[in-house]
């Protein structure tokens, strides 16, 4: 018997070796359709945080056709597929327009960009570009490199530091506002600092760091400022247009030198694309790779990836051109309306507390009971949130599926029931089931627990990449 832990092992044949004879195409497609339909049911109800930013099957079908026309194309071969240059150039131009690159041009810079494989890819390339540009122009590096970021900034910055030998200096955020202060960031800067980081907004709380203050600090220190708009980049600009209380965070802010913004989130493209935008071309070009003495010929690439599918460029371009500003603005209106209503549902319970002043993405905790009691009760009703720690909190990224009729009302009703359940479990002294998985480890046990947690995380990654078990 095949282990039931291996996905779909009891439903479909398991491939432990490459089959000698292939299966009919229609049989394979039928299997794929069935799995997709089973998995769609998880998020189509609108009870999943983030993940499916569009949730519109007609839109996905449109993107799939665009992708399919170019999926087989390798964009390294621009002589064979000049369309890739059109798609990529126009994606970058539209993203620069959204981030007010005209303000950068007015100060004598040449704004440019690149398309990457996702938010992590954009962040990695930004740190690499800052490192290499600092080496080329400032002689930084003999004492090491460092970037300074708020604790709430994405772990991809820490991954970049790990990969590229850049020290990552993490600054605590204000526990009330959940944003960093320029004064706190200034205390971590030294002669080897190559860039600061701010988020618009940060993933944990959906709050926006004081980008104007950080920009002024970056100019004063003569270093870069990366604004991580991976999550908010394709919705916050339209929130501004709709009158939401959103401060400027883009190239209109002096001192902002790079911005990451994910097209595969609120840009409603297919997974696997993001944009990285530069105030000045010289910073982008500093991380270009070229090898001139290989027997296979001269090799060069704009980023870490070599081969890329033209399908992702075509689908991203198609999404942006199809929706236009009016389409994005209308979706943003619906999402902000839903998010505001969900936040009001949280505020209606004095036992709960919103973290900071969030936007379309928000988190809430409790000072009365372990918030994971609420998490468990909501999960039993089909909700899939992200659990947070330090402090324990529940995270919700509002997307288009939450704008469906009845979803916000269901959230409010289920939350009321969950709060009542949480109070009862707290009074009975019960421990929340999910707290042991997602919750904060007591500070006194952090050093002791860290190796154990890392091992558990490694086991989870092993399981996700596990081979089919033997029969």
């Amino acid at each position: 018997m095949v282990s039931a832990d291996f996905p779909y092992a009891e439903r479909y044949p398991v491939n432990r070796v490459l089959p000698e004879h292939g299966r009919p195409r229609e049989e394979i497609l039928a299997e794929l359709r069935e799995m997709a339909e089973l998995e769609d049911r998880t998020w189509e109800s609108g009870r999943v945080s983030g993940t499916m930013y569009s949730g519109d099957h007609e839109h996905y079908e449109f993107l799939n056709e665009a992708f399919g026309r170019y999926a087989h194309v390798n964009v390294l071969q621009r002589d064979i597929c000049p369309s890739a240059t059109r798609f990529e150039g126009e994606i970058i131009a539209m993203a620069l327009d959204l981030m007010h690159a005209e303000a950068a041009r007015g100060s004598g810079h040449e704004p440019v960009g690149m398309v990457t494989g996702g938010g992590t890819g954009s962040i990695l390339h930004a740190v690499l570009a800052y490192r290499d540009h600092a080496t080329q122009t400032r002689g930084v590096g003999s004492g090491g490199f460092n970037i300074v970021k708020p604790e709430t900034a994405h772990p991809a910055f820490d991954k970049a530091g790990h990969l590229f030998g850049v020290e990552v200096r993490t600054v605590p955020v204000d526990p009330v506002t959940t944003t960093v202060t320029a004064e706190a960031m200034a205390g971590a800067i030294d002669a080897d600092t190559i860039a600061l980081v701010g988020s618009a907004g940060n993933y944990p709380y959906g709050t926006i760091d004081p980008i104007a203050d950080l920009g002024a600090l970056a100019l004063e220190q003569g270093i870069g400022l990366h604004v991580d708009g991976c999550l908010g980049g394709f919705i916050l600009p339209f929130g501004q247009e709709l009158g939401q209380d959103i401060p400027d965070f883009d190239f209109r802010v002096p001192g902002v030198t790079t911005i990451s913004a994910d097209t595969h989130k609120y840009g409603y493209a297919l997974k696997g694309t993001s944009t990285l935008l530069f105030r000045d071309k010289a910073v982008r070009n500093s991380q270009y790779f070229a090898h001139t003495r290989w027997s296979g010929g001269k090799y060069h690439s704009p980023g870490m990836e070599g081969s890329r599918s033209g399908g992702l460029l075509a689908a991203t371009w198609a999404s942006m051109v199809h929706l236009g500003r009016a389409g994005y603005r209308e979706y943003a209106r619906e999402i902000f309306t839903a998010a505001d209503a969900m936040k009001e549902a949280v505020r209606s319970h004095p036992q709960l507390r919103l973290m900071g002043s969030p936007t379309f993405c928000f988190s809430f905790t409790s000072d009365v009971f372990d918030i994971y009691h609420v998490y468990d009760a909501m999960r039993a009703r089909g909700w899939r949130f992200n659990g947070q720690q330090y402090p324990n909190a529940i995270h919700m990224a509002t997307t288009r599926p939450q704008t469906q009729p009845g979803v916000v009302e269901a959230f409010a009703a289920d939350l009321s029931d969950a709060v009542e359940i949480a109070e009862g479990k707290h009074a009975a002294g019960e421990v929340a089931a999910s707290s042991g998985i997602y919750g904060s480890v007591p500070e006194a046990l952090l050093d002791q627990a860290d190796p154990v947690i890392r091992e558990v995380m490694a086991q989870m990654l092993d399981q996700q990449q596990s081979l089919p078990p033997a029969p």
Side-chain angles (χ1 to χ4, degrees), residues 242-256:
L242 294 167
Q244 293 281 328
D245 184 18
I246 298 169
D248 290 347
F249 63 89
D250 52 30
F251 290 124
R252 290 172 293 182
V253 178
V256 171

Side-chain angles (χ1 to χ4, degrees), residues 38 143 154 173 211 364:
L38 289 169
H154 198 278
V173 299
I211 302 302
F364 58 98

Side-chain angles (χ1 to χ4, degrees), residues 45 58 65 91 96 119 140 165 185 199 201 220 228 244 255 268 293-294 307 340 352 365 386 405 416 424 465-466:
S45 66
E58 289 186 3
E65 181 169 349
I91 291 167
L96 285 169
V140 174
M185 295 283 276
S199 300
E220 175 189 302
D228 179 18
Q244 293 281 328
Y268 307 117
R293 301 186 182 186
W294 178 42
S307 297
D340 289 345
L352 305 178
T365 187
N386 297 302
S416 292
Q465 302 171 92
S466 63

Side-chain angles (χ1 to χ4, degrees), residues 153-395:
H154 198 278
F157 291 100
D158 299 271
K159 181 185 284 189
H162 169 72
L163 292 173
F164 305 140
V166 175
E167 179 190 357
V168 180
R169 297 181 176 177
T170 301
V171 175
V173 299
D174 184 285
V176 175
T177 66
T178 70
T179 58
V180 77
T181 65
E183 292 76 15
M185 295 283 276
I189 296 172
D190 66 15
D192 293 319
T193 302
I194 54 178
L196 306 178
V197 174
S199 300
N202 62 61
Y203 171 85
Y205 307 121
T207 50
I208 300 172
D209 286 318
I211 302 302
D213 294 344
L214 298 182
L217 177 61
L219 287 173
E220 175 189 302
Q221 296 291 326
I223 56 180
L225 169 59
H226 179 81
V227 174
D228 179 18
C230 285
L231 185 62
F234 277 85
I235 187 169
L236 292 178
F238 302 107
Q240 284 187 321
E241 293 180 15
L242 294 167
Q244 293 281 328
D245 184 18
I246 298 169
D248 290 347
F249 63 89
D250 52 30
F251 290 124
R252 290 172 293 182
V253 178
V256 171
T257 47
T258 53
I259 304 171
S260 51
D262 285 1
T263 39
H264 71 191
K265 290 191 174 75
Y266 292 94
Y268 307 117
L270 296 177
K271 283 297 181 185
T273 62
S274 174
T275 57
L276 174 59
L277 310 173
F278 298 79
R279 180 179 288 270
D280 193 68
K281 184 177 182 178
V283 180
R284 180 194 67 178
N285 290 12
S286 67
Q287 49 94 63
Y288 280 176
F289 178 81
H291 189 46
T292 60
R293 301 186 182 186
W294 178 42
S295 57
K298 295 177 177 62
Y299 176 91
H300 63 282
S301 63
M304 288 177 281
E305 297 158 320
S307 297
R308 290 185 291 155
S309 171
L312 285 172
L313 291 178
T316 301
W317 175 87
S319 182
M320 297 174 75
V321 172
H322 168 64
L323 290 171
R325 298 189 75 98
Y328 281 114
R329 190 183 305 115
E330 184 54 35
Y331 288 160
R333 184 193 310 278
E334 295 171 357
I335 289 170
F336 277 106
T337 298
D340 289 345
M342 295 174 85
K343 288 184 286 186
E344 278 307 307
V346 173
R347 292 189 184 100
S348 71
H349 298 283
Q351 306 93 326
L352 305 178
R353 174 169 58 87
L354 279 173
M355 307 291 289
S357 299
T359 51
F360 59 92
C361 167
F362 62 92
S363 293
F364 58 98
T365 187
S366 175
D367 301 319
V368 177
F369 47 68
D370 186 349
I371 196 65
Y372 279 104
H373 284 307
V374 173
Y375 181 100
D376 291 340
M378 295 291 279
R379 187 174 180 86
R381 288 160 172 75
W383 293 90
R384 297 292 184 269
F385 300 114
N386 297 302
Q388 299 191 155
Q389 57 182 352
Y390 308 116
N392 289 356
I394 293 175
H395 173 273

